[in-house]
C-alpha cells in the first residue's frame, strides 16, 4: 500500500486563526480524501480532492471553511479556516488503492483549538 | 445513506476469541471493510468482504451476509496488543459514490 505522510502531526491553535495540513503520498493517485474524526466519534468525510479540479465537499462542509488544494498527483493540503474550539479533531488524509478501492490513511493531524 | 450499527465497547480475556458484529442498511451494497485503530493512530485496513461468506486472514476472520445486512469480525487467540477500536465501513454505490461510510467503531479492551 501507499506510504502517506502528514504535516504537522499535531498543533495547538488560537481561535480565529487558520491551519494548513499537508498530505504527501509516495505514489501517484487519482483521488485523495480528507476526513475528520472528532473525539470518540468515527470518521467523517470532509471532501474528495482530484488533481486539476475543484474538491467535492460532503454535506455540512464548505469550501470557505475547508479550502483544499491538489496541485499534483502526490500532494494535497487542507486548510481549517477561522478556527473555533469545535474544530478540535483529528484530520486524516487517505487514498484509494487496489481493486477493491480500499482506503489507506495517513497518520493524522491532531488539532486542538483554544 | 447507510445506517451502520456496532457495539460501543467490548471486553475480552487474553487468549480468548471475540466476535464484533456490524449491521447495516443500504440499497446498493458494494463492499464492507474492517479497520483497526489504536488510540492516537490512524485506522489500518484489516479485511474486505463483498460476497457472502468467511474471509480468513491469520488470527482475524471477517464474515458477511448480504441478505441479512450483517458482518462480523472474529479475533482469535487474543493478545493485549489487540486492544483497539474496530471500525466497520460500508460502501453503497446506489448514489453513484464509491466512498465507504464508517461506523462509530467498537472499542475492544483485552485484559490479562
Amino acid at each position: 500500500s501507499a506510504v502517506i505522510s502528514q504535516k504537522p502531526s499535531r498543533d495547538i491553535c488560537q481561535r480565529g486563526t487558520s491551519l494548513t495540513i499537508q498530505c504527501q503520498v509516495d505514489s501517484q493517485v487519482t483521488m485523495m480524501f480528507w476526513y475528520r474524526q472528532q473525539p470518540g466519534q468515527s470518521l467523517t468525510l470532509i471532501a474528495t480532492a482530484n488533481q486539476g479540479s475543484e474538491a467535492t465537499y460532503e454535506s455540512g462542509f464548505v469550501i470557505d471553511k475547508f479550502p483544499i488544494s491538489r496541485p499534483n498527483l502526490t500532494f494535497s493540503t487542507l486548510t481549517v479556516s477561522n478556527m473555533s474550539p469545535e474544530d478540535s479533531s483529528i484530520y486524516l488524509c487517505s487514498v484509494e488503492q487496489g481493486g477493491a478501492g480500499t482506503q489507506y490513511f495517513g497518520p493524522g493531524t491532531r488539532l486542538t483549538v483554544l | 445513506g447507510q445506517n451502520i450499527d456496532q457495539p460501543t465497547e467490548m471486553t475480552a480475556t487474553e487468549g480468548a476469541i471475540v466476535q464484533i458484529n456490524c449491521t447495516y442498511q443500504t440499497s446498493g451494497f458494494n463492499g464492507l471493510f474492517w479497520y483497526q485503530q489504536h488510540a492516537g493512530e490512524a485506522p489500518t485496513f484489516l479485511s474486505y468482504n463483498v460476497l457472502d461468506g468467511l474471509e480468513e486472514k491469520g488470527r482475524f476472520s471477517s464474515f458477511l451476509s448480504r441478505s441479512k445486512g450483517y458482518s462480523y469480525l472474529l479475533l482469535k487467540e487474543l493478545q493485549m496488543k489487540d486492544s483497539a477500536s474496530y471500525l466497520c465501513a460500508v460502501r453503497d454505490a446506489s448514489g453513484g459514490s464509491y466512498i465507504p461510510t464508517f461506523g462509530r467503531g467498537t472499542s475492544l479492551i483485552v485484559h490479562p
Side-chain angles (χ1 to χ4, degrees):
Chain A
S1 62
V3 176
I4 306 169
S5 59
Q6 284 185 234
K7 286 196 292 189
S9 58
R10 58 178 64 231
D11 207 342
I12 300 173
C13 301
Q14 295 297 320
R15 180 195 297 264
T17 63
S18 297
L19 176 71
T20 295
I21 302 167
Q22 300 179 7
C23 179
Q24 180 77 51
V25 189
D26 70 343
S27 57
Q28 293 184 338
V29 293
T30 304
M31 293 197 291
M32 296 177 75
F33 306 88
W34 286 99
Y35 285 83
R36 181 173 73 182
Q37 187 173 31
Q38 294 180 307
Q41 301 296 314
S42 190
L43 299 162
T44 301
L45 182 65
I46 297 171
T48 302
N50 289 342
Q51 193 268 335
S53 63
E54 291 278 335
T56 302
Y57 289 83
E58 297 299 302
S59 175
F61 298 97
V62 295
I63 188 171
D64 290 345
K65 176 68 176 177
F66 297 101
I68 287 170
S69 79
R70 184 77 203 276
N72 58 52
L73 291 173
T74 62
F75 186 78
S76 178
T77 69
L78 170 76
T79 298
V80 186
S81 303
N82 188 25
M83 289 184 284
S84 67
E86 291 72 33
D87 294 319
S88 296
S89 187
I90 299 173
Y91 292 85
L92 299 125
C93 70
S94 76
V95 302
E96 267 184 0
Q97 282 202 314
T102 303
Q103 297 247 334
Y104 293 91
F105 291 87
T109 296
R110 184 179 294 272
L111 171 63
T112 302
V113 184
L114 303 177
Chain B
Q2 306 86 349
N3 292 321
I4 302 171
D5 193 33
Q6 307 178 235
T8 303
E9 187 175 290
M10 299 182 70
T11 59
T13 305
E14 194 175 15
I17 299 173
V18 71
Q19 177 175 311
I20 303 174
N21 296 326
C22 172
T23 58
Y24 62 88
Q25 295 175 319
T26 182
S27 53
F29 178 80
N30 192 252
L32 185 145
F33 303 83
W34 284 97
Y35 286 82
Q36 179 190 60
Q37 186 176 25
H38 285 101
E41 299 182 12
T44 56
F45 169 70
L46 288 178
S47 67
Y48 170 70
N49 294 71
V50 67
L51 299 176
D52 292 349
L54 188 69
E55 294 281 341
E56 296 187 77
K57 203 185 282 188
R59 293 190 298 116
F60 292 6
S61 303
S62 57
F63 172 83
L64 175 68
S65 169
R66 289 172 295 172
S67 62
K68 295 181 180 176
Y70 168 69
S71 173
Y72 67 72
L73 181 69
L74 192 72
L75 291 75
K76 302 176 187 175
E77 301 168 17
L78 280 173
Q79 302 174 10
M80 299 296 289
K81 68 178 182 179
D82 296 329
S83 293
S85 182
Y86 290 86
L87 305 170
C88 172
V90 178
R91 185 161 56 202
D92 182 345
S94 62
S97 171
Y98 285 83
I99 304 168
T101 298
F102 286 79
R104 291 179 173 268
T106 299
S107 178
L108 174 66
I109 300 168
V110 180
H111 56 81

